[in-house]
Amino acid sequence: MLGKEFLFFNRENIDLPDDFKELQLQCESCKRCSLFKTRRNVVFGKGNKNAILMLIGEAPGEKEDIKGEPFVGAAGELLTKMLKAINLTRDDVYIANVLKCRPPGNRDPKPEEIEACKGYLFKQIEIINPKIILALGRYAIKFLTDYSGPLSAIRGNVLYYKGIKVVPTYHPAALIYHQEWKRGSWEDLKLARRLYDEALKPQIHPVK
Ligand code: URA
């Protein structure tokens, strides 16, 4: 029997290109929701297309909308530092968001915007095929796992999206205001790094 996720996943990807460049081009002219009317740039994503680790945020803010790149504002500066703390750079990972266009005034993404945009992120994950995803904040966590309870109840655990390990953690923008979450964030980063190191190890299969 086919699971709900299988049907959901495939239906949304069916009309999108398998080629990453083509996917980006298509996304950059997207009018699937009304955010195209107010955006300055589509923020498709940036980084290493062969990345083992993918980072997924919520939606572009003002700076990202202007530059056309994810996480270039204050939260982005913190994200770069967080990566550096586990000996990674932005060139080691691929960074994308649930929404590719900025919601005006940085309001929360609307369900119909996530619905309209979801195929792009599903396809990005499918093509990049990372081993680990660091899910930054509740929108990324809900998108990948359907979990919408408190973050405090699941962080520290490894979740799964189509066989890919998902590490749920705080959004860097939230960390700027909640210093008390930094300790948990650091634990999550170390977990992601541990999984990253495991993924780098050569796989040895015992001879039967
Ligand atoms: N917040 C996000 O979730 N994504 C960005 O790209 C910038 C800020």
Side-chain angles (χ1 to χ4, degrees), residues 58-103:
E58 181 179 314
E62 188 184 19
K63 294 233 165 71
E64 290 78 19
D65 180 50
I66 292 169
K67 197 150 184 222
E69 290 179 16
F71 284 100
V72 289
E77 270 177 40
L78 178 56
L79 189 62
T80 305
K81 286 187 192 153
M82 287 161 66
L83 285 170
K84 192 162 181 249
I86 52 166
N87 287 320
L88 292 173
T89 70
R90 290 171 77 118
D91 293 334
D92 293 318
V93 301
Y94 193 89
I95 307 178
N97 284 307
V98 171
L99 287 192
K100 309 304 189 210
C101 297
R102 182 191 182 208

Side-chain angles (χ1 to χ4, degrees), residues 103-196:
N106 296 349
R107 63 158 168 75
D108 285 348
K110 292 181 181 172
E112 63 269 27
E113 292 161 355
I114 297 172
E115 184 65 24
C117 205
K118 68 185 179 186
Y120 297 117
L121 184 53
F122 283 146
K123 202 69 178 180
Q124 282 174 304
I125 299 170
E126 189 186 313
I127 297 172
I128 294 170
N129 193 22
K131 294 274 189 277
I132 309 130
I133 298 176
L134 189 61
L136 303 165
R138 63 194 170 108
Y139 283 94
I141 296 165
K142 165 97 171 101
F143 186 92
L144 296 166
T145 68
D146 215 28
Y147 177 82
S148 54
L151 180 51
S152 57
I154 41 138
R155 60 146 299 276
N157 294 292
V158 179
L159 311 176
Y160 283 86
Y161 165 78
K162 291 185 77 73
I164 300 168
K165 294 183 173 79
V166 174
V167 176
T169 194
Y170 301 104
H171 191 286
L175 288 174
I176 293 173
Y177 298 100
H178 293 274
Q179 297 284 323
E180 73 276 17
W181 291 346
K182 289 220 160 145
R183 179 190 287 265
S185 162
W186 175 230
E187 293 301 321
D188 300 339
L189 285 170
K190 284 192 292 184
L191 171 60
R193 179 69 220 200
R194 203 154 57 236
L195 297 174
Y196 189 92

